[in-house]
Amino acid sequence: MIREILQVGSPVLREKCKPVERFDGELCTLLDDMKETLKKANGAGLAAPQVGVPLRVVVVDVEEGYFELVNPVFVWQKGEQTGPEGCLSVKGKSGIVCRPERVKVVFSDRKGDRYSLVARGFCARAVCHELDHLDGILYTDKAKNIRDEKE
Ligand code: NI
């Protein structure tokens, strides 16, 4: 089911999200809905608070693949990259954000099994952007030169 993507100004986007404790049907439904919602919005990533759920859950859909990260935690962050970024919760804008070039995160899958992921480049950028959402941080807090996107 497609869920509504909340826009900046919604209080839940500023919450510190809670870890998932139950790996149950409700989590599966949330992940399935987030995947469908992200696909329809044609985005690179979506965090649960963006659909009104203050839990530590993100999905990322990039060239390297589609990832579901539950309770993700950074292991390390290396290097630096500077580039444009946007957000489905800040429609019609983009800004320049400095992010790590490479990151390693550990996370659970929907069954609760723990994995790790090393991401670089745009994938690392997307992971960092989405993990920020879980702490109530929007890219606009970090961006320079926020501007209206050209059609
Ligand atoms: Ni975002």
Side-chain angles (χ1 to χ4, degrees), residues 45-47 50 85-90 129-130 133 137-139:
L46 188 68
Q50 293 181 274
E85 216 164 285
C87 179
L88 296 173
S89 293
V90 190
H129 176 117
E130 298 314 324
H133 273 297
I137 298 164
L138 299 176
Y139 85 92

Side-chain angles (χ1 to χ4, degrees), residues 89-142:
S89 293
V90 190
K91 267 188 196 151
K93 306 264 185 203
S94 70
I96 304 297
V97 188
C98 185
R99 298 284 190 188
E101 170 59 26
R102 290 192 296 150
V103 298
K104 181 176 182 178
V105 293
V106 290
F107 62 95
S108 298
D109 69 359
R110 57 171 69 198
K111 294 184 212 158
D113 293 325
R114 210 74 180 147
Y115 294 92
S116 67
L117 168 72
V118 175
R120 63 185 306 150
F122 184 74
C123 185
R125 173 177 296 283
V127 167
C128 291
H129 176 117
E130 298 314 324
L131 264 64
D132 269 353
H133 273 297
L134 305 182
D135 293 318
I137 298 164
L138 299 176
Y139 85 92
T140 47
D141 302 336
K142 298 180 166 181

